[in-house]
């Protein structure tokens, strides 16, 4: 099992501190309802960032804004220093990919066809499907270990296989930034680990910068370089897992009484909840 303590950053040198994606004083919501207000966040090149927090705190809303699926009512989102809402759609799609919660594919769509859809941002009226596209799809399928499933319908796959297929599509898209909204939801523990191992490889071997929303604090601390803890639409803490996952923060953000001990495998913070049955 790969852990963040076992690996080196994906980027070094001048690229290492570069801000790729930023939210500046954003206010986000739906209709009259404000979910996030006056929030600032920077995503640095070559990092894996996990956004954590209780249900309804604004995690997915923030991710939608970073992916240009939700326009801020106030403030702005910048992609490589440019306002993302003013950039052409294809220009954004060539740099940034977003996988929503529980994505769905049309009935009967095969894995190979799904992954091929990742090449759409690279198409134009004067440039249709090419040998380069074919190679990118084949490489993505092979790299995620599902080349043998290329002819299978997506809706026949297991949860873990399905997530690999969607990640393959993002890989074929060739984006440098990848936003994942709860990529481990509805997966059993072994498949959660499998998906997060794949995310780690995307970062370390392919240099992808990743932002993901996660519910499991221990997996977030193990697989992310940086954590962003949210509550009621505000960022309560951000930084290295060891600096964010603390007993006072768990109490404040999650209303959880817990002990934080070193993970015996990764050495990262591990949350051990204190229940009412602890003395039995």
């Amino acid at each position: 099992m790969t852990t963040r303590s076992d690996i080196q950053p994906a980027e070094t040198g001048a690229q290492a501190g570069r801000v790729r994606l930023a939210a500046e004083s954003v206010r986000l919501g739906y209709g009259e309802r404000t979910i996030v207000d006056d929030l600032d966040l920077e995503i640095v090149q070559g990092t894996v960032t996990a956004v954590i927090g209780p249900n309804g705190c604004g995690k997915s809303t923030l991710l939608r804004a970073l992916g240009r699926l939700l326009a801020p009512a106030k403030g702005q989102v910048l992609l490589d220093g440019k306002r993302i809402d003013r950039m052409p759609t294809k220009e954004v799609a060539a740099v940034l990919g977003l996988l929503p919660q529980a994505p769905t594919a049309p009935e009967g769509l095969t894995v190979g066809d799904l992954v091929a859809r990742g090449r759409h941002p690279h198409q134009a009226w004067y440039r249709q499907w090419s040998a380069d596209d074919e190679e990118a799809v084949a490489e993505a399928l092979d790299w995620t270990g599902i080349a043998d499933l290329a002819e299978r319908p997506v809706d026949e796959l297991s949860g873990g296989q399905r997530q690999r297929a969607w990640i393959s599509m993002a890989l074929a898209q060739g984006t440098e930034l990848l936003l994942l909204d709860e990529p481990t939801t509805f997966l059993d523990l072994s498949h959660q680990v499998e998906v997060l191992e794949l995310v780690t490889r995307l970062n370390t071997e392919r240099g992808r910068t990743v932002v993901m929303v996660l519910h499991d604090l221990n997996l977030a601390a193990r697989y992310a370089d940086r954590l962003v803890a949210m509550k009621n639409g505000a960022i309560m803490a951000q930084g290295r897992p060891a600096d964010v996952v603390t007993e006072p923060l768990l109490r404040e953000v999650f209303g959880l009484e817990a002990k934080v001990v070193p993970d015996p495998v990764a050495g990262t913070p591990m949350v051990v909840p204190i229940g009412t049955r602890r003395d039995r």
Side-chain angles (χ1 to χ4, degrees):
M1 177 181 291
T2 305
T3 65
R4 300 305 300 180
S5 58
D6 296 330
I7 58 182
Q8 298 299 316
E11 297 286 341
T12 58
Q15 290 287 328
R18 178 185 173 199
V19 175
R20 299 300 310 273
L21 193 59
E24 296 185 344
S25 302
V26 296
R27 177 185 299 152
L28 308 169
Y30 305 95
E32 297 295 319
R33 185 184 175 204
T34 296
I35 307 294
V36 170
D37 198 13
D38 200 29
L39 182 144
D40 294 292
L41 178 66
E42 292 185 344
I43 302 301
V44 175
Q45 172 77 18
T47 57
V48 176
T49 300
V51 184
I52 59 174
N55 289 338
C57 71
K59 303 185 299 294
S60 294
T61 298
L62 172 60
L63 203 72
R64 284 173 57 81
L66 293 177
R68 210 180 73 159
L69 295 182
L70 179 64
K74 172 181 171 292
Q76 59 187 4
V77 174
L78 303 178
L79 174 60
D80 291 329
K82 296 186 288 187
R83 282 187 52 164
I84 197 170
D85 60 314
R86 295 179 179 175
M87 297 173 65
T89 298
K90 279 201 170 185
E91 184 179 343
V92 173
V95 179
L96 185 150
L98 185 149
L99 295 184
Q101 291 184 40
T104 57
E107 185 176 355
L109 187 74
T110 67
V111 171
D113 287 339
L114 174 68
V115 177
R117 291 188 173 199
R119 300 302 297 168
H120 285 182
H122 303 277
Q123 307 300 310
W125 67 268
Y126 55 85
R127 182 194 180 281
Q128 299 302 311
W129 191 260
S130 69
D132 288 341
D133 296 318
E134 197 73 40
E135 182 179 353
V137 169
E139 183 181 11
L141 288 166
D142 183 64
W143 194 84
T144 54
I146 58 170
D148 59 327
L149 303 177
E151 301 302 319
R152 289 268 302 276
V154 176
D155 49 17
E156 291 182 4
L157 302 181
S158 69
Q161 290 172 330
R162 193 175 296 118
Q163 283 296 73
R164 280 178 172 265
W166 285 102
I167 291 173
S168 294
M169 185 190 74
L171 184 59
Q173 188 175 337
T175 60
E176 299 171 4
L177 287 159
L178 185 59
L179 310 182
L180 306 174
D181 194 357
E182 299 187 28
T184 58
T185 298
F186 307 127
L187 300 182
D188 59 38
L189 184 57
S190 65
H191 286 120
Q192 290 180 43
V193 171
E194 179 183 277
V195 167
L196 292 175
E197 291 278 330
L198 184 55
V199 169
T200 295
R201 289 183 56 216
L202 279 169
N203 172 249
T204 58
E205 298 178 21
R206 292 302 180 98
R208 299 299 195 267
T209 300
V210 181
V211 185
M212 55 185 174
V213 171
L214 289 179
H215 276 291
D216 190 303
L217 299 180
N218 292 332
L219 291 179
R222 175 178 287 191
Y223 286 101
D225 302 302
R226 295 182 59 80
L227 299 182
V228 176
M230 294 185 64
K231 179 184 179 182
N232 295 332
I235 294 177
M236 307 300 291
Q238 59 181 309
R240 298 181 309 121
D243 297 328
V244 173
V245 182
T246 63
E247 293 169 14
L249 180 126
L250 294 172
R251 193 176 301 116
E252 179 180 8
V253 172
F254 294 93
L256 177 66
E257 293 293 334
K259 291 291 184 183
V260 177
V261 300
D263 184 314
V265 174
T268 51
M270 185 172 73
V271 177
V272 181
I274 299 174
T276 57
R277 299 174 61 88
R278 62 186 179 276
D279 56 348
R280 298 185 183 182

